[in-house]
Amino acid sequence: MSETFDLIIHGGAVFVPGGPVEADVGVRGGRIAGIGDLKSAKAEARFDASHLTVLPGCIDEQVHFREPGNTHKEDLESGTRGAALGGITSVFEMPNTDPSTTTAQALADKVTRATGRSWTDFAFYVGASPENADNLGVLEKLPACCGVKMFMGSSTGTLLVADDENVARVLRSGTRRVTVHSEDNMRLDERAHMVKDGADVAMHAEWRDVETAVRSTKRLLRLAREAGRRVHVLHISTAEEIDILRQHKDIATVEVLPQHLTLAAPECYERLGSLAQMNPPIRDARHRAALWDGVNAGIVDCMGSDHAPHTLEEKARPYPRSPSGLTGTQTLVPVMLNHVHEGRLTLQRFVELTSSGTERVFGLKGKGQIIEGYDGDFTIVDLRAERTITNDWIASKSGWTAFDGMKVTGWPKATIVRGNIVMRDDEVLDTPIGAPVRFIESE
Ligand code: DOR
């Protein structure tokens, strides 16, 4: 008797560990149950992936979906819909909502809100604060928690752990890798006078300068070493930090963003104004080139989008009252596939940055690779498709992307989550079936 699957993906180039093979993939009960020639197998559903590439489901490890508190900018439904349209199968959502996600109740509330409304699988960060610093070891182990997020520099929201004593308390509490926004808040405060009302938005990168990032990252690494704690340093934006982190790969993993790899000052501020304003800022081409070196030298471990929507009205306020953050979960895959097309990184490296690297950094259970027994999560892409990214494709409630008008080669054709086709040909399908991501180090 021939084997039976719920879904068979036929005839694609399947990116198993080590590189692509011509194979069919069968999913049963949400898990990968067969890789090989499945022509004679039976299936409830079939997906013809001829001429397409079947990648492990891309994971966006950094999104801000604004629910609860600021759902006029985004919510868990619209945010994950954008992610699915962009080829993302799982998102890790940030704690700087209103209220901040600093308690077990706030985390459970997000899981309840996401259930039945999320198009992708999901996990949530717990935000570190001086109030919960000693309890983070308990909070980080809760179901659907991807770990602790610590803001050492203030950004959108109220979360902040600025001084060495409290940073050390956070690093001593718990065992999982701590995820960090690394900008030195003391230096930000000292220099805040530089950005008075009406200042040019290009001043953002002068105020939040290289030294602001470097000083914080050096402090973090020293304190992490003293505490014997692993850290994951988010959205690295400077050449200097890449050099520093090179020497600390035993305890530190590194994230970069598509916007820091793609845009550069001063051009981005001249062209986009506050739509290019984010923390840490987009810097000049020297830093961008160093980030690419970090990607290709293996110093960078994984990537997120830092999807941080604000409405166009909010963005139109005069700098510095314009809020910081760019949308990005929907554009991560096409923007990065275009970089693959243009030869800036290999497809192998793209896969590591968006799935297997994320699996390693966060200790995912059953996600991040195309292996039998793993979840049936796939990002099916057409590496040759020529498309233009436009605002009217963007599902985010904020309705804009800094990449509006960008021509790309490489496009997500389908998003499959545990064997469910949630996006095909730029449309979401059926109902939101997202479920919590599982982690090795949680309960
Ligand atoms: O630019 C940013 N915006 N950086 C952050 O760290 C937070 C984010 C937001 O939530 O708006």
Side-chain angles (χ1 to χ4, degrees):
M1 221 183 75
S2 65
E3 268 195 293
T4 303
F5 296 93
D6 300 327
L7 171 72
I8 297 180
I9 302 164
H10 281 284
V14 181
F15 223 98
V16 295
V21 294
E22 296 296 326
D24 308 317
V25 188
V27 181
R28 194 185 301 123
R31 305 270 168 96
I32 298 171
I35 304 168
D37 183 351
L38 304 178
K39 264 191 225 62
S40 58
K42 293 200 177 78
E44 295 284 317
R46 294 177 188 276
F47 186 100
D48 179 6
S50 315
H51 314 297
L52 300 175
T53 304
V54 181
L55 303 176
C58 293
I59 299 159
D60 188 344
E61 61 159 36
Q62 189 182 174
V63 300
H64 304 262
F65 283 164
R66 310 303 190 201
E67 181 176 351
N70 279 293
T71 51
H72 67 287
K73 299 181 204 259
E74 200 72 289
D75 63 30
L76 289 161
E77 189 283 324
S78 61
T80 54
R81 182 153 38 89
L85 287 167
I88 301 292
T89 53
S90 295
V91 294
F92 298 173
E93 206 266 343
M94 282 291 166
N96 59 333
T97 43
D98 186 9
S100 304
T101 321
T102 52
T103 62
Q105 290 78 356
L107 184 82
D109 175 53
K110 280 193 171 176
V111 175
T112 305
R113 288 167 181 272
T115 304
R117 290 173 59 231
S118 180
W119 292 93
T120 66
D121 280 354
F122 53 82
F124 299 104
Y125 291 91
V126 161
S129 73
E131 290 71 41
N132 72 3
D134 303 320
N135 193 34
L136 290 168
V138 174
L139 295 172
E140 69 172 2
K141 295 252 162 47
L142 292 170
C145 180
C146 46
V148 168
K149 163 73 179 288
M150 171 163 61
F151 282 90
M152 287 177 69
S154 58
S155 194
T156 305
T158 55
L159 287 170
L160 184 62
V161 183
D163 60 293
D164 281 7
E165 195 189 320
N166 280 309
V167 171
R169 280 176 66 213
V170 170
L171 293 173
R172 282 196 302 265
S173 177
T175 53
R176 291 177 75 178
R177 197 176 279 280
V178 178
T179 302
V180 184
H181 177 120
S182 180
E183 288 187 288
D184 186 281
N185 210 60
M186 283 64 87
R187 186 169 170 88
L188 287 178
D189 283 348
E190 278 162 29
R191 294 159 61 85
H193 63 88
M194 295 171 66
V195 288
K196 297 212 174 62
D197 235 10
D200 192 295
V201 66
M203 282 300 289
H204 200 62
E206 303 299 322
W207 168 39
R208 306 180 86 108
D209 65 350
V210 172
E211 179 59 22
T212 302
V214 168
R215 204 178 275 189
S216 172
T217 296
K218 282 187 178 162
R219 284 174 50 218
L220 172 66
L221 292 169
R222 174 173 52 78
L223 293 165
R225 221 165 257 296
E226 280 169 20
R229 191 73 185 271
R230 294 166 301 158
V231 290
H232 183 46
V233 197
L234 294 175
H235 41 43
I236 287 300
S237 64
T238 69
E240 285 76 0
E241 285 169 286
I242 291 284
D243 267 344
I244 294 165
L245 286 159
R246 201 188 294 275
Q247 299 152 40
H248 294 274
K249 289 298 292 172
D250 55 332
I251 55 161
T253 48
V254 177
E255 178 209 54
V256 294
L257 311 179
Q259 47 275 49
H260 286 133
L261 291 170
T262 308
L263 305 172
E267 187 275 338
C268 66
Y269 299 112
E270 288 159 10
R271 185 165 56 86
L272 297 163
S274 66
L275 297 187
Q277 177 194 333
M278 65 169 295
N279 307 326
I282 297 168
R283 308 187 192 279
D284 65 31
R286 175 177 79 87
H287 295 288
R288 183 174 58 183
L291 299 183
W292 276 114
D293 288 346
V295 164
N296 288 312
I299 295 157
V300 175
D301 295 271
C302 52
M303 115 180 289
S305 71
D306 197 2
H307 178 83
H310 300 284
T311 66
L312 286 171
E313 292 72 32
E314 291 162 343
K315 279 289 201 182
R317 291 179 198 145
Y319 180 79
R321 284 187 289 130
S322 45
S324 295
L326 277 61
T327 62
T329 195
Q330 199 171 334
T331 49
L332 185 153
V333 170
V335 166
M336 292 308 297
L337 288 181
N338 190 57
H339 285 306
V340 171
H341 174 74
E342 294 187 348
R344 289 186 196 93
L345 80 166
T346 61
L347 191 59
Q348 172 77 45
R349 203 72 195 99
F350 171 83
V351 167
E352 288 162 5
L353 293 173
T354 53
S355 51
S356 57
T358 320
E359 175 192 7
R360 177 172 49 80
V361 168
F362 286 85
L364 304 184
K365 249 190 209 167
K367 287 193 190 293
Q369 304 185 65
I370 300 180
I371 299 178
E372 269 191 49
Y374 270 47
D375 287 354
D377 293 353
F378 309 98
T379 301
I380 301 186
V381 301
D382 182 348
L383 294 173
R384 282 166 297 200
E386 293 179 9
R387 295 280 299 263
T388 302
I389 293 172
T390 53
N391 285 340
D392 61 11
W393 174 62
I394 296 294
S396 170
K397 285 191 179 180
S398 64
W400 61 274
T401 164
F403 300 111
D404 179 51
M406 181 177 173
K407 289 193 169 59
V408 295
T409 302
W411 197 260
K413 291 286 287 179
T415 307
I416 300 182
V417 178
R418 288 172 288 103
N420 302 283
I421 304 171
V422 299
M423 184 280 282
R424 187 172 201 160
D425 293 326
D426 300 330
E427 279 181 26
V428 290
L429 304 176
D430 293 330
T431 51
I433 46 77
V437 174
R438 296 165 300 131
F439 298 89
I440 292 164
E441 292 175 79
S442 70
E443 273 153 12

